Amino acid sequence: MRHCSARDLGRRLLLVLALAGGVGVSPCRRAAAEISDTRRTPIVTAVQRARPAIVNIHGEKLVDATDPRDARTADGKRKVNGMGTGVILDERGYIITNHHVVDGVKKIIVTTAARETFVARLVSRDPATDLAIIKIDADHDLQVIAIGTSGDLMPGETVIAVGNAYGYEHTVTRGIISALHRSVQVSDAQQYEDLIQTDASINPGNSGGPLLNIDGEMIGINVAVRAGAQGIGFAIPTDKVLTVAADLLSTRRVERTWHGVQAHTTESGDVEVLALDEASPASDSGLQAGDVITSIGGMPVARAIDIERAFLGREAGEPVDVSVRRRQQPMTVKLALAKTDGDPAWDMLGLKLEPQSAKQFQQHRTHYRGGLTVTDVRTDSPAARQGIRRGDVLVGMHVWETVTMENVTYILARPDFPQLDPLKFYILRGSETLYGHLNVSQRTAAQAR
């Protein structure tokens, strides 16, 4: 028999007197443990599993003031409040979100599901894929999202979107996968390839948040909606997200250290060494192509991104145990990170580059979003052989824009960089846009490391 307090019984009596139709009212609130299995659906369970690893992002940014009635800054900008969502990838506070969510935001405010608020810093970004890594510093480990795969998705299967829709934090919507492998052009500067299409409601503020499967695993990052259409939203597939995130979280980009392991996640779920960079710490450690990495420093390795997570925070020269399976036999090698020195753009391309302010770049009157001024060109370098001059503005290489030095470092440090040789580049010279190809040999790249 359930016992209720006198106060509960009094409330029940008042409700009975007020309800002409005799609607049944529970005499006291059910405890959470008493919620029926019928109500605790797979969707509820999935959301409860993922929610602690999802954060809300707020920030103020400056945009061009197009309406003369808008309040504006001295340089013609107006302030807008941006919002978005992020997903915790590492318990130390590394979060993935969309680049457009944090682009231009001076103070990135992150609120967790536990209502803790932090000021985040931008760690790295890739405008071409519209992904970025930010970091918050908590005094405890944070819950990490459960990650699924986008390689076995089925049109028609149930999916769930969670995000900061219109500023309403941790909003949950559900739907199905409508289609796969969609290409979407959202502006002159941004096109997405190979997206997941869903009819789960995705609204402004959902950007950067997870698309979940019915098991509560992240299978995509919500990124765009079809303007003027209901029930058409898009997400970047998780497998692509993790590939980009591994580059964005690489020790080379984040901490200027280097291991030299090139790995991928196989169809069977193993993290296999594809190749080792020449004269790298990895090649010196005794690792071999074909080795399956199972743990690094005691941290289990389930995906290629875990290699970067395991090495983050390690000092250069500190030996770390790397456990592998080689021809089905377990073994352990020791690998010590090395410091990266020098300027990759100078060493590999022969270019000294400096960022341009937004105000400086506006004078070029071009559709590009930014660029780097060439301040010096090394004699007999790849850049010199292509006729690049001081004063030129580098605006892109291959398929990526070069707005910041970080963009250039990202391109030159990519594991597939040798496959990009010769490297296509785009520069502004006066009122002209010019392009050419930089022949950067693998030997030159190895020397730069």
Side-chain angles (χ1 to χ4, degrees):
M1 179 180 292
R2 182 182 293 111
H3 295 279
C4 300
S5 67
R7 186 178 181 182
D8 286 322
L9 291 172
R11 286 176 175 170
R12 185 187 182 199
L13 179 60
L14 289 173
L15 287 169
V16 168
L17 292 173
L19 295 172
V23 178
V25 179
S26 173
C28 51
R29 183 179 296 175
R30 287 192 180 93
E34 299 179 44
I35 295 174
S36 68
D37 291 340
T38 305
R39 290 177 58 200
R40 199 180 299 278
T41 65
I43 290 176
V44 171
T45 302
V47 172
Q48 289 176 342
R49 180 185 185 190
R51 192 174 186 272
I54 303 168
V55 302
N56 299 298
I57 300 173
H58 294 268
E60 191 178 79
K61 66 172 73 178
L62 296 176
V63 300
D64 291 328
T66 55
D67 190 328
R69 294 170 296 179
D70 289 337
R72 63 183 68 197
T73 62
D75 58 355
K77 302 286 186 179
R78 66 184 178 90
K79 294 180 179 180
V80 298
N81 292 317
M83 56 192 172
T85 311
V87 181
I88 301 172
L89 291 182
D90 184 273
E91 62 274 1
R92 290 165 290 186
Y94 290 98
I95 295 165
I96 193 159
T97 185
N98 285 138
H99 173 253
H100 75 259
V101 169
V102 294
D103 184 29
V105 177
K106 291 184 177 180
K107 190 175 183 181
I108 305 169
I109 306 298
V110 169
T111 305
T112 68
R115 307 300 302 166
E116 294 180 290
T117 299
F118 302 89
V119 176
R121 61 183 173 87
L122 180 62
V123 174
S124 55
R125 56 188 174 176
D126 179 21
T129 57
D130 195 20
L131 292 170
I133 297 286
I134 60 175
K135 187 178 187 302
I136 59 176
D137 295 316
D139 59 3
H140 57 89
D141 286 349
L142 299 170
Q143 182 167 321
V144 177
I145 195 77
I147 298 175
T149 178
S150 53
D152 61 1
L153 298 181
M154 301 171 289
E157 74 169 288
T158 299
V159 289
I160 307 155
V162 183
N164 191 15
Y166 286 109
Y168 294 103
E169 300 177 349
H170 284 89
T171 294
V172 178
T173 57
R174 72 172 177 90
I176 60 169
I177 292 178
S178 304
L180 301 169
H181 312 300
R182 295 298 201 202
S183 295
V184 178
Q185 181 91 35
V186 296
S187 69
D188 290 341
Q190 189 72 62
Q191 176 164 340
Y192 301 99
E193 303 289 345
D194 195 29
L195 296 183
I196 302 165
Q197 181 183 329
T198 176
D199 70 348
S201 295
I202 295 175
N203 296 292
N206 275 107
S207 291
L211 187 68
L212 307 172
N213 63 21
I214 199 66
D215 294 326
E217 299 170 328
M218 183 177 79
I219 49 93
I221 290 288
N222 299 317
V223 71
V225 294
R226 179 76 179 183
Q230 293 184 356
I232 301 181
F234 301 95
I236 305 171
T238 284
D239 293 354
K240 181 175 182 178
V241 169
L242 293 181
T243 298
V244 175
D247 286 332
L248 295 177
L249 270 179
S250 69
T251 62
R252 190 184 192 100
R253 288 171 64 91
V254 177
E255 298 177 333
R256 306 301 297 168
T257 56
W258 174 49
H259 52 72
V261 178
Q262 298 180 34
H264 74 137
T265 306
T266 67
E267 291 185 2
S268 60
D270 291 330
V271 178
E272 181 183 61
V273 177
L274 279 174
L276 305 171
D277 292 343
E278 184 181 339
S280 68
S283 60
D284 293 341
S285 73
L287 279 174
Q288 296 179 7
D291 287 348
V292 173
I293 301 177
T294 55
S295 70
I296 298 175
M299 175 182 163
V301 173
R303 295 173 178 82
I305 192 175
D306 294 334
I307 297 175
E308 305 302 337
R309 293 179 56 227
F311 280 121
L312 276 176
R314 306 274 184 180
E315 294 292 332
E318 174 191 351
V320 180
D321 287 340
V322 179
S323 298
V324 303
R325 264 195 340 266
R326 180 177 297 168
R327 293 184 287 275
Q328 302 305 314
Q329 296 299 314
M331 62 179 297
T332 300
V333 301
K334 289 190 177 293
L335 192 158
L337 296 173
K339 271 287 184 186
T340 58
D341 299 312
D343 179 349
W346 180 255
D347 294 337
M348 298 171 68
L349 308 177
L351 289 174
K352 287 286 186 184
L353 301 166
E354 286 186 359
Q356 282 201 341
S357 68
K359 189 172 183 179
Q360 284 177 306
F361 193 78
Q362 285 175 357
Q363 298 173 359
H364 296 288
R365 299 185 182 278
T366 177
H367 68 278
Y368 291 103
R369 298 197 298 175
L372 301 166
T373 302
V374 176
T375 60
D376 197 6
V377 181
R378 191 178 71 242
T379 304
D380 199 31
S381 65
R385 288 192 289 272
Q386 280 295 300
I388 297 177
R389 310 171 188 168
R390 290 183 184 182
D392 289 344
V393 180
L394 181 69
V395 293
M397 292 194 296
H398 192 53
V399 297
W400 297 283
E401 62 183 359
T402 52
V403 178
T404 66
M405 290 302 301
E406 190 178 64
N407 299 148
V408 176
T409 302
Y410 166 76
I411 297 165
L412 300 183
R414 285 183 61 87
D416 62 350
F417 182 78
Q419 281 73 58
L420 305 181
D421 193 15
L423 179 66
K424 192 170 186 179
F425 68 89
Y426 301 86
I427 61 169
L428 300 180
R429 180 178 295 167
S431 59
E432 293 184 298
T433 301
L434 308 175
Y435 71 91
H437 293 83
L438 296 165
N439 290 290
V440 185
S441 68
Q442 295 185 38
R443 179 173 178 270
T444 302
Q447 288 174 337
R449 296 191 186 104

